[in-house]
């Protein structure tokens, strides 16, 4: 199964990345909750949502209602807690707007896996957080972006 995904990966003209725990090392909502003094309550709910045990929309709404960050807190959080990029990730410079024929989704959560289809392939990412449910749904599972880079060489 991974060989089929690797073939699509080599021909992809668009790649969609999840951000939290994929492009960046942390789950932003968990870090915001910690910043606002609600970290422990929110982390378990985030983990359950990313593993597919809770609906994404419902759990996001519930988590934000529990945190209730003020605009000032959000602005201070963004200023004082910049995200850290995952190892070997270099943001793309620009992409074509239309005409894609091979789209690859890369992510660490259940909702990322659900993006394929319409994406032609889903590559699970576990370099920051390993989620067995995502690993099981992945057509190819990587723990380091270098694996993706090496496959293109």
């Amino acid at each position: 199964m991974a060989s089929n995904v690797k073939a699509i990966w080599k021909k992809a003209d668009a790649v969609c990345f999840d951000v939290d725990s994929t492009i960046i090392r942390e789950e932003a909502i968990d870090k915001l909750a910690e910043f606002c003094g609600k970290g422990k309550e929110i982390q378990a709910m985030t983990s359950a949502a990313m593993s597919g045990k809770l609906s994404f929309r419902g759990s996001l709404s519930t988590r934000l209602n529990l945190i209730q960050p003020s605009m000032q807190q959000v602005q201070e959080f963004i200023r004082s807690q910049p995200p850290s990029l995952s190892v070997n990730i270099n943001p793309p410079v620009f992409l074509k707007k239309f005409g894609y024929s091979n789209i690859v989704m890369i992510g660490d959560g259940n909702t990322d896996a659900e993006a394929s289809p319409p994406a032609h392939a889903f590559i699970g990412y576990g370099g920051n957080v390993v989620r067995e449910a995502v690993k099981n749904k992945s057509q190819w599972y990587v723990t380091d972006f270098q694996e993706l880079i090496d496959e293109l060489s």
Side-chain angles (χ1 to χ4, degrees):
M1 173 107 69
S3 62
N4 292 341
V5 175
K6 289 179 181 182
I8 294 171
W9 171 247
K10 288 181 179 182
K11 295 187 299 184
D13 28 35
V15 178
C16 306
F17 285 92
D18 172 54
V19 176
D20 293 338
S21 294
T22 301
I23 294 295
I24 63 173
R25 294 178 183 222
E26 54 274 321
E27 288 287 335
I29 196 163
D30 288 351
K31 296 295 280 183
L32 176 62
E34 184 179 311
F35 183 81
C36 294
K38 308 265 175 128
K40 290 183 180 180
E41 300 152 79
I42 302 302
Q43 278 185 329
M45 196 176 297
T46 298
S47 181
M50 293 297 111
S51 299
K53 295 176 183 168
L54 296 174
S55 78
F56 174 76
R57 290 177 193 254
S59 69
L60 178 61
S61 177
T62 301
R63 289 178 286 170
L64 287 173
N65 285 333
L66 286 171
I67 301 168
Q68 293 187 345
S70 68
M71 183 56 76
Q72 182 180 359
Q73 285 175 307
V74 171
Q75 290 171 341
E76 179 58 29
F77 170 71
I78 291 169
R79 208 172 18 261
S80 67
Q81 306 280 323
S84 57
L85 292 177
S86 293
V87 176
N88 292 314
I89 191 71
N90 296 308
V93 179
F94 52 91
L95 296 173
K96 293 179 184 177
K97 189 172 181 181
F98 301 104
Y100 302 126
S101 59
N102 283 298
I103 299 172
V104 175
M105 177 65 189
I106 300 172
D108 72 305
N110 193 59
T111 53
D112 305 319
E114 292 173 355
S116 177
H120 297 94
F122 171 64
I123 300 172
Y125 178 72
N128 296 311
V129 178
V130 174
R131 295 186 173 93
E132 289 302 317
V134 174
K135 191 174 185 179
N136 293 335
K137 290 181 179 182
S138 299
Q139 297 159 313
W140 180 20
Y141 193 79
V142 300
T143 57
D144 189 321
F145 283 106
Q146 192 63 47
E147 293 176 65
L148 300 172
I149 295 165
D150 291 347
E151 193 62 35
L152 296 174
S153 301

